[in-house]
Amino acid sequence: MKLATLNDLYIDELKDLYSAEHQLLKALPKMAKAAAAPELAQAFTDHLAETKGQVDRLDKIFKKLDVSPKGKTCKAMEGLLAEGKETMAEDADPSVMDAALIAAAQRVEHYEMAGYGCVRTFARLLGDKQAADLLQATLDEEGAADKALTKLAETIINIAAVAPDGQQLTA
Ligand code: FE
Ligand code: FE
Ligand code: ZN
Ligand code: FE
């Protein structure tokens, strides 16, 4: 049995996140390049730096567990990034493209939040407070990145571009 214990599942889920974060290290620079608003490009670049730190935290946890972080591919992140790639290939108004990039990025952040919330809880259940704290720190960063994207959506997306014929869209 591959997943005989909660510890086995914990390691499997950590490997999934390790794969997801590495996929993001490659995708975030492309998303920054595709963004029209400099604030959005900056948000992606900032999150790239945070993502490197998140990989370091995972490395620390794997080292302590004396387990290799490799050997799993996060298929969900492959799918989310494939959708993002599809979006970036569209011929879109720059402001609409930014809105689409934010939508893609927020899906990614929510996926990560779910993953880190689970492994944080598993670490607690397994009595590894140091790992739980590291995973909570990453979870907090993913949550903050998600909130920052919502804020950007509210401030940078040009309604005039989104509304056809200059018609005002009001909530
Ligand atoms: Fe991350
Ligand atoms: Fe996954
Ligand atoms: Zn994943
Ligand atoms: Fe993230």
Side-chain angles (χ1 to χ4, degrees):
M1 203 192 304
K2 192 185 152 217
L3 298 179
T5 65
L6 180 63
N7 193 60
D8 295 338
L9 176 65
Y10 174 57
I11 289 169
D12 203 65
E13 297 269 346
L14 286 172
K15 286 185 180 192
D16 185 85
L17 284 162
Y18 189 83
S19 162
E21 296 292 12
H22 276 84
Q23 292 180 48
L24 285 166
L25 289 179
K26 283 196 212 151
L28 282 163
K30 293 177 196 164
M31 293 170 79
K33 224 183 239 173
E39 300 96 320
L40 182 57
Q42 190 59 52
F44 289 141
T45 304
D46 290 348
H47 200 51
L48 174 64
E50 275 179 341
T51 299
K52 287 175 186 160
Q54 296 172 356
V55 170
D56 289 343
R57 287 191 194 110
L58 289 173
D59 273 326
K60 213 181 250 178
I61 293 169
F62 279 110
K63 209 166 209 163
K64 199 178 154 206
L65 289 168
D66 199 20
V67 169
S68 163
K70 302 211 174 97
K72 210 180 163 184
T73 300
C74 177
K75 295 195 186 78
M77 190 57 74
E78 281 185 334
L80 290 170
L81 294 176
E83 285 191 359
K85 216 171 162 186
E86 240 175 49
T87 297
M88 287 190 277
E90 296 287 350
D91 181 23
D93 173 277
S95 186
V96 179
M97 177 60 79
D98 281 355
L101 288 169
I102 288 171
Q106 287 195 289
R107 281 176 170 82
V108 166
E109 295 313 319
H110 278 250
Y111 180 77
E112 292 184 298
M113 284 155 70
Y116 279 107
C118 287
V119 288
R120 182 275 328 268
T121 300
F122 294 164
R124 266 188 206 152
L125 290 169
L126 292 163
D128 190 343
K129 182 175 182 323
Q130 195 199 355
D133 289 348
L134 288 169
L135 295 166
Q136 181 66 53
T138 294
L139 178 57
D140 291 344
E141 281 177 1
E142 310 295 24
D146 177 58
K147 281 208 182 78
L149 287 166
T150 297
K151 194 104 232 154
L152 280 170
E154 287 166 351
T155 52
I156 66 169
I157 295 169
N158 180 2
I159 306 281
V162 179
D165 306 324
Q167 158 198 340
Q168 281 302 306
L169 294 183
T170 45

